Amino acid sequence: MNILCLNTAFDKANIALEYEGKTFYKETDACCKHSENLLLEVEKLFENAKKETENSNDVIKNLDVISVVVGPGSFTGLRISIATAKGLLAVFPNIKCVAINSLELIAYSSTKIEKTAVINGLSGFYFLAQYNDKKETSAPKMISKEELNQFKNFVSIENLPFETEIVDLTPKNLLLITKEKISKNLFVDENNLVPLYLRPSQAEANLNGNKK
């Protein structure tokens, strides 16, 4: 099975490709310049795959699955990878799609059994979800800093003002969690491939404020 995985939810992008049984990984610390770098880096992976497998066929035409991290995370970053995936799905409708939320990827990257994956949502809010091993026990939500005392065993990708295990999101883990979802037939169609923001964008907040 040929799989392309994209994560542009944060400053560092993760890209993974499994093609004809070989794996190819790329990390870019792009400072959120994903609109400039994502397609370029994907194309480089495709070229590497063609060379390594000695297959002259276009990799993109032979993809079976594309996975995308849908958030929470950078509003712009999420839209870039989701738009890229939707473009591929529109041209190649036989490709299946997997959606991964950022919090489950963070939890997957931790060796703890009981854990609370958390992301700083700024302005005094946090995004979090709880997990027992790889199973979600509470759905992703946004809470205030004052509500955090209900939770424990925090896991994150960033330093936070409370005791937290720091994990690194890697292309390898992105591919592994994708393959687990494939094995469970957890696919989504193009219409359901949408960003998981958990909070309104600034534009939406301004619009709602103006309506009051």
Side-chain angles (χ1 to χ4, degrees):
M1 182 169 286
N2 300 324
I3 307 166
L4 174 66
C5 311
L6 305 175
N7 176 19
T8 55
F10 306 105
D11 284 358
K12 183 172 68 175
N14 299 139
I15 308 168
L17 174 66
E18 181 166 292
Y19 188 68
E20 295 193 354
K22 295 189 176 184
T23 53
F24 306 86
Y25 300 123
K26 182 65 178 181
E27 288 185 332
T28 60
D29 191 359
C31 296
C32 288
K33 293 183 179 179
H34 303 312
S35 60
E36 301 174 17
N37 299 318
L38 180 62
L39 290 178
L40 178 63
E41 296 300 339
V42 168
E43 183 61 30
K44 287 179 181 178
L45 278 192
F46 285 174
E47 289 302 317
N48 288 341
K50 288 174 67 173
K51 291 177 183 177
E52 289 290 328
T53 59
E54 299 181 349
N55 187 332
S56 61
N57 294 327
D58 286 341
V59 174
I60 194 170
K61 293 180 179 179
N62 291 304
L63 288 178
D64 299 300
V65 177
I66 182 168
S67 77
V68 186
V69 174
V70 296
S74 160
F75 283 21
T76 301
L78 298 177
R79 288 194 291 266
I80 289 167
S81 53
I82 290 173
T84 300
K86 283 180 174 284
L88 290 174
L89 295 172
V91 177
F92 304 102
N94 291 330
I95 297 177
K96 294 183 177 180
C97 187
V98 168
I100 300 168
N101 80 62
S102 308
L103 295 164
E104 68 180 328
L105 180 58
I106 290 171
Y108 189 92
S109 303
S110 169
T111 57
K112 289 183 177 180
I113 301 301
E114 298 283 349
K115 49 206 165 187
T116 301
V118 59
I119 299 169
N120 188 350
L122 305 178
S123 301
F125 291 95
Y126 294 85
F127 306 128
L128 62 77
Q130 291 181 290
Y131 297 85
N132 184 319
D133 197 10
K134 297 175 182 177
K135 184 178 179 181
E136 182 182 278
T137 56
S138 71
K141 58 185 175 182
M142 183 175 71
I143 67 169
S144 67
K145 185 176 181 180
E146 291 71 27
E147 295 173 285
L148 282 171
N149 57 16
Q150 309 172 46
F151 304 93
K152 58 183 180 180
N153 297 327
F154 293 108
V155 178
S156 184
I157 58 171
E158 56 195 330
N159 288 309
L160 298 171
F162 42 85
E163 186 176 348
T164 310
E165 176 194 0
I166 308 299
V167 297
D168 185 33
L169 302 187
T170 65
K172 181 178 180 180
N173 278 343
L174 180 59
L175 177 60
L176 289 174
I177 195 172
T178 296
K179 293 174 76 171
E180 285 198 11
K181 285 180 174 281
I182 292 171
S183 70
K184 298 174 183 176
N185 290 314
L186 297 177
F187 299 109
V188 298
D189 61 31
E190 181 184 350
N191 293 331
N192 291 317
L193 184 62
V194 294
L196 178 66
Y197 291 139
L198 292 185
R199 70 182 300 172
S201 67
Q202 189 60 50
E204 291 171 319
N206 291 340
L207 179 62
N208 291 333
N210 291 334
K211 288 180 178 179
K212 294 180 180 179

